[in-house]
Amino acid sequence: MDSISLWQLVALAAASTLVGFSKTAVSGANTISLAVFAAVLPARESTGVLLPILIVGDLLAVTVYRRHAHWPTLLRLFPAVAVGVVAGTLFLLWADDAAVRTSIGAILLFMTGVTLWRRRLAEKESGSEARKESGPEAGTGPAAGDEGAPGTGRTAARGYGVLGGFTTMVANAGGPVMSLYLLSAGFRKLGFLGTSAWFFLILNVSKVPFSVGLGLIDARSLLLDACLLLFVLPGAYLGRVCVDRINQRVFDRIVIGATVIGGLQLLLI
């Protein structure tokens, strides 16, 4: 981090803007920012630089969507997420950059496949349009109540929660995992964004002591953060302007597509 070129700084600034956009519009797009930070900086250290930027984005998202969170879903996820965070911390004690990138990329692609498979099963059982019509109004919880759509009950919440906690601790890559869970549970745009906003604000703040203890956050990383934080604001504004213009079906496809791209980037960097 002592010898960042001008073009690398521009790339990090663009990735920070995308963080703001992803927090208020398309959560899965955040994986592109993750990949840029990991490409410009050492993969391990990049997680410590990115974390404060994510927290600022989370604060902006909560400010906009705080009324749309579905708290039963959050409360069901957090115990499993805590297990994943501890597992991710232990993993970082010995894993090198290559192991971090390969593991997260493989998990993201696997979870995308699982989610697409579950969505196809649900469509065969009740029809895609019928499922959407019986789903929640914007800003509420999942389509089938607290337990979500078929296959997204407590067992699925535990599985996604552990993976989300592990991936977010290892590489700040929990966004795609949780995006896939919320999509599979039938969340619409505002409920999706409100639940994600509170989830990641609480989770990312709780990760700070772990990251400091691992040496991922220090005076140098915070100095770089100070240069990048201002770029989050225009991205968040742009996302808020765009989100109401995104069709629900297009929204789902963008989230899944961004997840696939992010997973492939992590595997190929």
Side-chain angles (χ1 to χ4, degrees):
M1 286 186 285
D2 294 327
S3 58
I4 297 177
S5 69
L6 176 60
W7 289 110
Q8 289 176 321
L9 189 60
V10 169
L12 293 177
S16 299
T17 301
L18 187 57
V19 167
F21 179 82
S22 71
K23 292 295 184 179
T24 56
V26 182
S27 179
N30 199 40
T31 56
I32 299 174
S33 298
L34 187 158
V36 171
F37 270 76
V40 173
L41 305 171
R44 236 174 146 268
E45 285 77 0
S46 71
T47 63
V49 176
L50 187 56
L51 182 56
I53 295 172
L54 292 173
I55 291 174
V56 171
D58 293 327
L59 287 169
L60 294 172
V62 165
T63 300
V64 176
Y65 300 116
R66 61 187 179 278
R67 299 177 182 176
H68 302 292
H70 189 251
W71 285 97
T73 295
L74 291 172
L75 294 175
R76 186 163 60 245
L77 284 169
F78 278 131
V81 170
V83 174
V85 169
V86 173
T89 302
L90 295 176
F91 179 76
L92 283 173
L93 289 175
W94 64 267
D96 59 13
D97 286 352
V100 169
R101 290 193 300 267
T102 301
S103 298
I104 301 305
I107 288 173
L108 294 183
L109 294 177
F110 173 74
M111 295 309 300
T112 300
V114 171
T115 297
L116 291 173
W117 175 68
R118 282 178 171 165
R119 287 168 70 83
R120 177 165 292 186
L121 287 181
E123 289 175 357
K124 286 182 178 179
E125 290 177 358
S126 59
S128 178
E129 292 303 319
R131 183 169 60 86
K132 286 183 180 294
E133 290 175 1
S134 63
E137 296 297 327
T140 61
D146 286 351
E147 289 302 316
T152 57
R154 295 186 182 278
T155 300
R158 293 189 186 105
Y160 277 96
V162 171
L163 282 174
F166 178 83
T167 54
T168 195
M169 188 64 225
V170 171
N172 292 314
V177 175
M178 299 317 301
S179 293
L180 295 176
Y181 172 72
L182 295 178
L183 286 182
S184 66
F187 278 83
R188 308 303 293 273
K189 281 190 294 185
L190 293 182
F192 177 103
L193 292 167
T195 304
S196 295
W198 277 109
F199 177 85
F200 283 107
L201 176 61
I202 295 170
L203 179 59
N204 284 331
V205 170
S206 71
K207 284 162 49 183
V208 171
F210 294 94
S211 296
V212 172
L214 289 167
L216 301 178
I217 295 179
D218 55 22
R220 293 184 304 163
S221 70
L222 291 175
L223 181 61
L224 181 56
D225 285 324
C227 299
L228 298 174
L229 287 177
L230 288 178
F231 294 96
V232 181
L233 298 174
Y237 175 77
L238 180 62
R240 183 65 187 94
V241 170
C242 292
V243 68
D244 292 332
R245 303 178 182 180
I246 302 176
N247 175 272
Q248 180 67 41
R249 186 180 295 275
V250 174
F251 179 85
D252 292 356
R253 290 175 178 175
I254 291 175
V255 171
I256 292 174
T259 302
V260 172
I261 292 172
L264 290 173
Q265 286 178 321
L266 289 171
L267 287 174
L268 298 176
I269 287 177

